[in-house]
Structure formats: C-alpha cells, structure tokens
Amino acid sequence: MPRPRLLVAALGCATALRLPWRRPAPQLLPPVPQIFTPDDSRPVVLFDGECNLCNRGVNLLLDRDRCDDDERGNLRVAALQSGVGRTLCARLPPDQYAKAVDAETGAYKSIVVQGAREAWVGSAAVLKIGRQLRGPLGWLAALGSFVPRLVLDPAYGFVSRRRKLWFGESDQCRVWDDDWE
C-alpha cells in the first residue's frame, strides 16, 4: 500500500527513500570503560570492599594466583563499591544482579566474577576463582565443581548472610585503583 505524500514528507527523506532510521541504536547496557581489551581480557573479581572476609579472600587470591605467563596474574580485583564495580554489576543479567545486590537496601550480598562475555555469582564465582589458584585451593575448587548446586548455593548463602557478623566490617577498601574510576 503506497504511503500518502504528506506522511512521507513528515517522516523525512530517510523514510521516503526507505533508508534505515538515523536514530542511534538503543544501548541496553551501560558503557564499559576499557576494562576488557584484546591486551587484557582477564576476568574481574568484584568483592564487597567493606567486608573483612572478602578482603582476606582477595589477599589470598593476590598471593596464590597461579598465572605463570603474566606477572599480573589470571584475575583482576575491584570492590563492588568502586566505579568499575558498580558499572560491571549493572551489566549483570537480572537474575544474577538479584543474587549480587539486595533490591531493598542496595547492599552487596555476593561475590561476582565478571568476564568479557560471561559472569559468575556466588558459589559459581568462588569456584571460578578457586580454579585460578595454586596449590591445594585449586584442587579443592576442582573437587567442589562436582558438588551439586543444590548444596553449594545454600552453603554459600548461609556464610554470605553472616560474613559481616562473624568477620566484621572495615571502614574502607584495601584494594583501590583510581585509574578505574
């Protein structure tokens, strides 16, 4: 059915010529600063920078990262409270975001490992991190991969809900990188 000439004129030349609209494509995810580049596509571990258990875990990760080829290690770390942490967390699918951030309070309730194209939250993130560590912790993570999620997820949730009560909170994050803000 031909379009009326008035409508063609109102919609503009691009429509009259059947060219695609000149609108920018909708952006579904917030833009990411150059975190994942061809030179550095290592996953980023996002942790609660105010949680002492999380800070101890990051210290352990930094000491035992098993990468031999790159002195920087296999993983990078950032606090969930940092600009990078908030940006990467906002890019999570809704189901994973709900596991990582409390909808009512906005408090962080889970560790996240964000890769260039994939993310792991909770017990899956812990296993992902564990497989990157040297020594017995890497072997333990490999064994943990055989434990069903029906066991791992509730166990992780139990510890996660009580971590600040058991291990305390710190006023500031130990790991901070102003270049990532």
Side-chain angles (χ1 to χ4, degrees):
M1 174 175 157
R3 295 182 181 169
R5 290 179 191 209
L6 185 58
L7 180 60
V8 170
L11 292 176
C13 183
T15 304
L17 298 175
R18 297 193 186 271
L19 296 175
W21 287 96
R22 298 291 177 187
R23 285 184 287 175
Q27 190 167 1
L28 301 176
L29 300 173
V32 175
Q34 293 298 318
I35 297 170
F36 300 108
T37 64
D39 295 333
D40 194 357
S41 61
R42 296 174 296 149
V44 179
V45 175
L46 302 173
F47 68 100
D48 186 349
E50 297 171 351
C51 167
N52 287 336
L53 175 64
C54 302
N55 281 315
R56 290 177 190 166
V58 167
N59 288 336
L60 184 71
L61 183 152
L62 294 173
D63 291 341
R64 299 204 180 268
D65 194 343
R66 70 174 165 83
C67 189
D68 295 329
D69 300 336
D70 191 342
E71 63 191 30
R72 299 173 301 177
N74 284 335
L75 299 168
R76 296 178 283 175
V77 296
L80 283 161
Q81 292 87 348
S82 69
V84 167
R86 289 189 307 270
T87 300
L88 289 176
C89 207
R91 294 176 52 87
L92 291 171
D95 61 322
Q96 289 184 327
Y97 186 83
K99 290 180 185 177
V101 180
D102 188 305
E104 294 176 11
T105 65
Y108 299 107
K109 57 184 185 177
S110 179
I111 193 166
V112 177
V113 176
Q114 178 72 53
R117 292 183 180 85
E118 191 173 359
W120 300 266
V121 178
S123 63
V126 171
L127 292 176
K128 174 72 174 168
I129 294 166
R131 287 189 296 268
Q132 304 300 319
L133 302 179
R134 286 190 299 252
L137 294 174
W139 304 330
L140 187 62
L143 288 174
S145 298
F146 294 107
V147 177
R149 285 285 166 93
L150 283 141
V151 174
L152 287 177
D153 289 343
Y156 178 86
F158 180 80
V159 173
S160 177
R161 286 187 298 275
R162 292 161 180 81
R163 62 192 160 90
K164 290 185 178 179
L165 177 68
W166 292 345
F167 297 94
E169 295 183 60
S170 60
D171 294 337
Q172 61 184 10
C173 175
R174 177 192 166 275
V175 177
W176 194 260
D177 187 353
D178 290 334
D179 293 337
W180 277 28
E181 284 298 338

